[in-house]
Amino acid sequence: MTKHACSRRSFIGMAGAGIAAAALPRWAVAGLFAEARDAELVVFNAKVYTVDSKSPNAEAFAVRGGKFIAVGNSADIKDLIGKKTQIIDAQQMTVVPGFIDSHNHASGNTLLYEVLVGNPYEVEFVTIASIVDKLRLKAKTTPADTWVEGYFFDDTKLKDKRALDVHDLDQVSTELPVAVHHRGGHTTFYNSKALKMAGVTKTTPGMAGGTYDRDGSGELNGRVTDRAREVLYKVGKRPSYSADETMRRDREGLAYISKQFVRFGLTGVCHEGGNLRALEEVRARGDLLHRVSYEAEGAELEAMISGGMMTGLGDDWIKLGATFEHTADGSFSERTMALSIPYPGTNSGYKGNVTETQEVLNAWCERVHRAGIQLNCHANGDVAIDHVLTAYERALQLVPGPDARPKITHCTLINDDLVRRIKAINAVPALFTSYAYYNPDKFHFYGEELMKRCMAYRTLLDAGIPAAAGSDFDPGPFSPLMGIQGMVTRTGWNGEVWGANQRITVDEALRVNTINGAYATREEASKGSITPGKLADFVILAEDLHKVEPEKIKDIRVVRTVVGGLTAYRA
Ligand SMILES: [Zn+2]
């Protein structure tokens, strides 16, 4: 136990570091001391992994005003207990900083209101018959010309051991358009009616950014990838709701997913867009349980640019973050990411989908960066990461500024030169987290040689790059413990090991999921570790992730999640 971070002495440290005590008038400093005596919350008798390298282990800490005020040993911290202090005896359970997910679509209303044809949270195999049945039920109450849609499909989580195809979906309906969306977000499976409404036939050519896939005899098989889906988005009707109804649904969806996040120990999440007004209303109603870094796109991003709103505007609960992921290529899990070599095991020469030209990407990056907004592009394949880095390097050269930290969402397949360039411009990659455990059934499409360079936590950390964790929910389950297990073991649900050279330690995985996430949003001074002066976000775990079998990390029970000193979830 280090002595420096305990009881009142650390409060002095906190006042100095956190709120510049020297700059405050003498009476204000004295006032702070008087108030500091009694903590609002004290946690003691715990195994605390602080993720603060100056003082990595502790037994106890105290919270006041939503922040940690002292971290140290149980005896010293108990000095801060007053009449009104809430006391938690952790009974030797493990406490870690609240987990941070640096990339999440936070699609609460999909979870609440849509037909789910796969399990959002866990590995679960389903049958094609179950998918058809669920959608048939939906079709019964669906008006003419209106889409029947299923979500959270995973092509490698089918008991049938064959691909879902257009014929299956024709069994749902021949009258209504039917779509089954892969949870990865880059491929959709359609029925004949949908393809017909969009005018897609077996002779329709693909394009640079997408494909209409065919079966062995050249007929459309219903799978459409990336931008080739745009013509299908334009046809058919989708349910429409009044403005009030839309707001209510979005509020309920956000409140719902907030509960799910804290249930898994997440206290901070980067949201990919979504209804900002609804988010604010959820917060005003007291239903926002986690902190949000809001990554804007579309109208919200345009409003930021035209209104002079830069990254960082907001407060500790809702803050404008980087942009929504600006997409440069296809998907890792759905095998459409842009590779520099043809997909292994295929003879078609297919190298994936580049979804934007270098020129368009350059212009977008320059415009956003000039507006003072943190850049964020989605790039999976080595070709796309190269494109994104080229655009970032250009933007940073045109408008040099300190600490831009452009974000690379996924940053899946790297090589030495890309790592060098990432480091040179201090880009922050947010890699897939739960995939190592959840998606081993897809890695044979790439093979071990490529997988050695995919989700390359070891390589990036060794290069001094603070890789962060981005579940990309819907595509990946967002459980941070599932993510940590995969980072530590590189072993999938089926026992397969892919890219074992990229394994990292439990402590490194903890950093990835906490302080590195805070760094990715430029908030490492206020979040990401159990340090006096930082926001009191922490998780109590029933078992120590350092001590359980690595294959059981994902099963550790989250006992309590605390955000800003207040309990947001209790098992
Ligand atoms: Zn995403």
Side-chain angles (χ1 to χ4, degrees):
M1 193 62 47
T2 53
K3 204 75 181 144
H4 101 274
C6 65
S7 82
R8 285 163 203 126
R9 198 178 306 169
S10 75
F11 185 74
I12 297 168
M14 169 261 180
I19 45 175
L24 293 173
R26 190 170 283 275
W27 60 265
V29 178
L32 284 167
F33 274 99
E35 286 181 0
R37 189 166 301 124
D38 293 353
E40 286 162 4
L41 168 67
V42 160
V43 177
F44 71 100
N45 191 24
K47 281 156 73 179
V48 184
Y49 295 95
T50 65
V51 191
D52 180 338
S53 51
K54 286 193 224 108
S55 180
N57 299 99
E59 296 172 349
F61 52 81
V63 174
R64 184 178 177 83
K67 294 180 176 178
F68 298 113
I69 56 166
V71 182
N73 63 49
S74 292
D76 285 346
I77 298 298
K78 278 184 177 172
D79 281 355
L80 299 171
I81 294 175
K83 282 202 183 100
K84 292 181 181 166
T85 305
Q86 185 197 353
I87 304 162
I88 298 177
D89 177 352
Q91 299 177 312
Q92 282 299 300
M93 286 191 287
T94 292
V95 180
V96 296
F99 295 118
I100 295 173
D101 187 344
S102 300
H103 183 71
N104 193 306
H105 292 267
S107 47
N109 39 10
T110 305
L111 294 174
L112 263 190
Y113 298 116
E114 302 294 348
V115 178
L116 308 183
V117 299
N119 187 327
Y121 309 109
E122 314 268 358
V123 172
E124 182 187 335
F125 278 67
V126 303
T127 61
I128 290 175
S130 75
I131 296 172
V132 170
D133 284 350
K134 283 180 179 178
L135 293 173
R136 264 190 187 151
L137 200 62
K138 178 76 177 177
K140 278 187 186 157
T141 57
T142 303
D145 291 331
T146 305
W147 284 91
V148 177
E149 300 182 274
Y151 292 84
F152 283 95
F153 174 68
D154 186 333
D155 65 312
T156 56
K157 302 290 186 299
L158 287 176
K159 285 182 183 164
D160 306 69
K161 295 200 164 70
R162 69 169 179 85
L164 178 76
D165 66 25
V166 65
H167 308 296
D168 299 315
L169 300 183
D170 286 345
Q171 287 182 43
V172 175
S173 177
T174 52
E175 303 293 316
L176 299 168
V178 177
V180 169
H181 302 286
H182 197 290
R183 71 180 296 165
H186 292 251
T187 58
T188 306
F189 298 73
Y190 296 97
N191 70 343
S192 299
K193 175 72 178 180
L195 294 165
K196 195 170 170 218
M197 285 168 75
V200 177
T201 69
K202 64 178 180 179
T203 57
T204 306
M207 59 194 73
T211 58
Y212 301 104
D213 292 0
R214 290 163 176 82
D215 63 20
S217 55
E219 300 291 329
L220 291 169
N221 66 13
R223 182 178 188 257
V224 182
T225 70
D226 285 305
R227 298 191 66 172
R229 296 174 298 176
E230 285 168 9
V231 289
L232 287 126
Y233 297 151
K234 291 178 190 143
V235 298
K237 292 181 193 156
R238 289 176 173 81
S240 67
Y241 304 101
S242 68
D244 282 354
E245 181 69 356
T246 299
M247 197 57 78
R248 185 189 64 78
R249 286 167 63 98
D250 288 348
R251 269 199 316 262
E252 287 186 359
L254 285 162
Y256 179 80
I257 203 160
S258 192
K259 281 189 194 146
Q260 307 308 314
F261 287 156
V262 295
R263 182 161 75 89
F264 284 89
L266 288 168
T267 61
V269 178
C270 292
H271 281 215
E272 295 312 296
N275 187 331
L276 184 56
R277 169 73 186 267
L279 186 64
E280 292 170 66
E281 291 188 6
V282 169
R283 188 242 181 116
R285 289 167 183 231
D287 293 334
L288 185 65
L289 303 175
H290 68 286
R291 303 184 194 279
V292 177
S293 177
Y294 182 84
E295 301 192 335
E297 65 168 337
E300 288 80 10
L301 180 59
E302 290 308 315
M304 283 178 73
I305 294 172
S306 61
M309 291 175 260
M310 300 195 293
T311 295
L313 186 68
D315 63 12
D316 291 330
W317 285 94
I318 303 175
K319 196 175 278 188
L320 296 175
T323 67
F324 185 94
E325 57 175 328
H326 188 78
T327 303
D329 74 338
S331 144
F332 179 32
S333 67
E334 297 155 276
R335 288 85 69 194
T336 66
M337 73 185 197
L339 302 182
S340 54
I341 55 165
Y343 271 68
T346 65
N347 48 22
S348 64
Y350 179 64
K351 291 180 170 181
N353 301 335
V354 172
T355 54
E356 192 151 271
T357 64
Q358 186 72 62
E359 291 66 36
V360 175
L361 195 58
N362 286 352
W364 185 85
C365 288
E366 181 185 340
R367 180 164 178 260
V368 167
H369 179 60
R370 279 189 191 282
I373 300 168
Q374 187 182 5
L375 290 160
N376 179 17
C377 287
H378 154 125
N380 272 304
D382 52 353
V383 169
I385 298 169
D386 166 62
H387 287 190
V388 165
L389 284 168
T390 300
Y392 285 178
E393 287 157 356
R394 179 181 172 276
L396 292 173
Q397 207 159 41
L398 288 170
V399 189
D403 222 14
R405 302 188 201 179
K407 190 168 169 181
I408 306 177
T409 288
H410 312 319
C411 199
T412 302
L413 174 65
I414 50 93
N415 58 43
D416 290 347
D417 189 50
L418 295 175
V419 172
R420 183 189 58 72
R421 291 167 67 193
I422 290 166
K423 173 87 177 157
I425 61 167
N426 195 25
V428 286
L431 277 56
F432 286 113
T433 57
S434 54
Y435 272 26
Y437 175 79
Y438 181 83
N439 271 334
D441 37 35
K442 298 178 178 76
F443 298 155
H444 62 94
F445 291 108
Y446 294 102
E448 176 65 5
E449 276 316 298
L450 287 187
M451 287 307 300
K452 280 181 178 164
R453 295 190 280 121
C454 283
M455 304 182 291
Y457 280 107
R458 174 81 277 145
T459 302
L460 292 164
L461 294 184
D462 285 349
I465 295 165
S471 72
D472 199 23
F473 188 78
D474 306 350
F478 54 68
S479 160
L481 290 170
M482 184 191 286
I484 289 173
Q485 176 171 324
M487 292 171 204
V488 170
T489 66
R490 292 288 284 206
T491 305
W493 62 266
N494 57 6
E496 289 178 11
V497 178
W498 293 95
N501 60 311
Q502 295 296 347
R503 281 178 182 148
I504 58 175
T505 67
V506 168
D507 279 327
E508 287 168 331
L510 261 181
R511 295 184 68 81
V512 163
N513 283 274
T514 57
I515 191 76
N516 290 7
Y519 184 84
T521 54
R522 306 174 181 164
E523 293 174 293
E524 72 276 14
S526 63
K527 285 162 71 171
S529 67
I530 297 177
T531 301
K534 287 197 182 184
L535 296 167
D537 301 347
F538 63 90
V539 183
I540 302 179
L541 301 171
E543 286 170 284
D544 185 345
L545 356 63
H546 300 75
K547 301 282 160 62
V548 299
E549 291 289 311
E551 289 75 24
K552 301 239 165 72
I553 291 174
K554 72 171 176 53
D555 303 322
I556 294 175
R557 199 159 55 93
V558 173
V559 174
R560 191 192 285 254
T561 302
V562 177
V563 187
L566 299 174
T567 296
Y569 167 76
R570 206 173 163 182

